[in-house]
Amino acid sequence: MVGTRAPEDAYTAEPFLPERGGLPALRKAAAECRGCPLHRDATQTVFGAGDTDARVMLVGEQPGDQEDRRGKPFVGPAGQLLDRALEEAGIDPSEAYVTNAVKHFKFTQAEPRKRRIHKAPNLREMTACGPWLAAELAVVEPELIVVLGATAGKALLGSSFRVTQVRGTVLEEEIHGRPERLVPTVHPSSVLRSDDREAAYRGLVSDLKVAADALS
């Protein structure tokens, strides 16, 4: 790994990437990332997890409170809902690779020991973390990327991305220099916040069935 640390105000993880090695080397290096200020308040880096040879990669926004404490992606309520929806759609969660566009938990907190409230990362923070996601894609080489929510979509496809316009469709785009197929859908946390949770859940499953069909 490059010895010189980039200043946090440079907003890039690039100097922290290892020169060689697979996912274990990337995960170890990411734990020391200081490429943007988000690491200051987060408990730890939450890197991707799952099958190295996964045919499908699921990309969310950022770790939440439980993920930040446990150091693993999608282990909270949204992750449990996602696993259920994947199984119902015909995708085995154990055969997928899950990660986030941003690897540190961004939050607001009124005072110490109060609940930490999720705060969406901005474009600069997403861009800073982009080299990690690019490296994960290069190692895993998934056949399909499932884009979970607006923030992940903007990180991968640009600031004009609108999940409501393209959800449940198969897109073909160049991502970090590689041709990729993508199926956008909502983030599972939005299902949990929905006034009509059952309808929102059915919509998520429907989108994931499009992904399952694209893999068949």
Side-chain angles (χ1 to χ4, degrees):
M1 186 168 63
V2 177
T4 303
R5 292 292 187 264
E8 294 170 358
D9 59 7
Y11 279 85
T12 177
E14 193 67 43
F16 298 88
L17 267 68
E19 295 180 1
R20 61 182 63 85
L23 288 175
L26 286 169
R27 188 172 291 109
K28 183 178 179 180
E32 303 300 323
C33 185
R34 303 293 182 265
C36 84
L38 289 185
H39 76 89
R40 295 174 183 164
D41 296 323
T43 304
Q44 58 193 314
T45 304
V46 181
F47 203 70
D51 189 346
T52 306
D53 299 316
R55 297 178 65 202
V56 60
M57 178 184 286
L58 297 109
V59 181
E61 177 188 281
Q62 65 163 350
D65 181 82
Q66 291 192 36
E67 288 80 6
D68 174 72
R69 298 179 192 280
R70 295 169 61 181
K72 296 180 180 179
F74 289 95
V75 293
Q80 294 166 16
L81 183 144
L82 177 61
D83 283 351
R84 181 161 60 94
L86 285 167
E87 289 177 349
E88 194 167 335
I91 298 173
D92 187 342
S94 69
E95 296 179 357
Y97 184 89
V98 293
T99 191
N100 285 296
V102 172
K103 312 302 188 195
H104 285 113
F105 180 34
K106 183 178 181 180
F107 60 91
T108 59
Q109 192 171 27
E111 57 185 86
R113 292 187 293 277
K114 290 287 186 180
R115 189 164 69 95
R116 301 186 298 176
I117 307 298
H118 159 274
K119 186 176 181 181
N122 60 40
L123 185 59
R124 198 177 186 195
E125 291 156 349
M126 288 187 278
T127 302
C129 222
W132 294 119
L133 186 55
E136 288 174 294
L137 284 167
V139 172
V140 178
E141 296 185 314
E143 295 176 31
L144 186 72
I145 302 170
V146 174
V147 182
L148 300 171
T151 298
K154 289 177 180 178
L156 287 166
L157 297 163
S159 59
S160 63
F161 174 85
R162 298 292 182 271
V163 67
T164 53
Q165 295 176 359
V166 291
R167 63 175 298 182
T169 63
V170 181
L171 307 178
E172 295 186 4
E173 301 285 348
E174 184 173 301
I175 307 295
H176 295 297
R178 288 168 42 86
E180 302 283 5
R181 292 191 305 155
L182 310 95
V183 173
T185 186
V186 297
H187 196 283
S189 63
S190 72
V191 176
L192 296 174
R193 296 192 303 267
S194 176
D195 292 333
D196 189 343
R197 189 178 293 187
E198 182 57 30
Y201 177 75
R202 297 258 61 90
L204 173 62
V205 172
S206 177
D207 293 345
L208 292 175
K209 284 181 178 178
V210 173
D213 289 343
L215 289 167
S216 62

